[in-house]
């Protein structure tokens, strides 16, 4: 394999491992609130503003079908609700209910504690550098995988 192939493989494998590590942390943080990491992820996407399922999928890098399944579960459990979408009659907007916001609020203290410990481990500048590198990698992948 060429050096570029090795680098691309290393980036992919590193990101897969990182994703698994963050999912493990997220599962641990979400569990005491009666949630899963995936539920938290979808609810988190609509905390600031309601979005259609396809919009959540775009923001979170998930499949529309996967988000739809989770959104339906959240609605069934009273953690989210669908609202009419003035921009599109069929694509309803997903938004959290008061119970959904309360569940996320239960996660916040543990999340903040973990964030403080992670940034302490990396240092503030190191954490910013990691974030910038992730943004560069994501932008490059968008450029290479988005049809023109």
């Amino acid at each position: 394999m060429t050096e570029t192939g090795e680098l691309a493989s290393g980036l992919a494998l590193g990101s897969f491992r990182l994703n698994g590590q963050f999912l493990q942390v997220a599962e641990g943080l979400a569990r005491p609130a009666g949630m899963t990491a995936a539920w938290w992820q979808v609810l988190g996407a609509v905390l600031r503003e309601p979005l259609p399922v396809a919009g959540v999928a775009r923001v979170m890098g998930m499949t529309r079908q996967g988000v739809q399944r989770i959104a339906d579960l959240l609605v069934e459990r009273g953690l989210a609700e669908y609202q009419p979408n003035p921009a599109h009659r069929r694509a309803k907007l997903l938004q959290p209910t008061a119970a959904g916001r309360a569940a996320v609020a239960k996660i916040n203290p543990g999340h903040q504690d973990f964030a403080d410990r992670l940034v302490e481990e990396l240092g503030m500048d190191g954490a910013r550098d990691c974030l910038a590198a992730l943004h560069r990698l994501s932008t490059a992948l968008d450029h290479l995988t988005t049809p023109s």
Side-chain angles (χ1 to χ4, degrees), residues 36-51:
T36 68
W39 295 9
W40 181 24
Q41 186 177 16
V42 171
L43 268 181
V46 296
L47 283 176
R48 291 195 178 143
E49 67 174 330
L51 291 171

Side-chain angles (χ1 to χ4, degrees), residues 8-84:
S9 292
L11 289 167
L13 292 173
S15 67
F16 296 154
R17 177 169 163 69
L18 190 60
N19 182 58
Q21 289 170 305
F22 271 118
L23 283 175
Q24 183 177 7
V25 167
E27 288 292 343
L29 291 171
R31 191 173 302 112
M35 305 243 305
T36 68
W39 295 9
W40 181 24
Q41 186 177 16
V42 171
L43 268 181
V46 296
L47 283 176
R48 291 195 178 143
E49 67 174 330
L51 291 171
V53 165
V56 174
R58 265 191 307 280
V59 169
M60 292 292 143
M62 300 168 71
T63 65
R64 191 200 59 71
Q65 295 86 347
V67 173
Q68 185 68 63
R69 186 176 42 78
I70 293 166
D72 289 344
L73 273 170
L74 291 170
V75 169
E76 180 182 307
R77 295 174 195 269
L79 298 170
E81 61 189 1
Y82 291 115
Q83 294 293 319

Side-chain angles (χ1 to χ4, degrees), residues 93-107:
L93 297 173
L94 182 70
Q95 69 179 26
T97 61
R101 288 185 184 281
V104 171
K106 286 182 187 174
I107 298 169

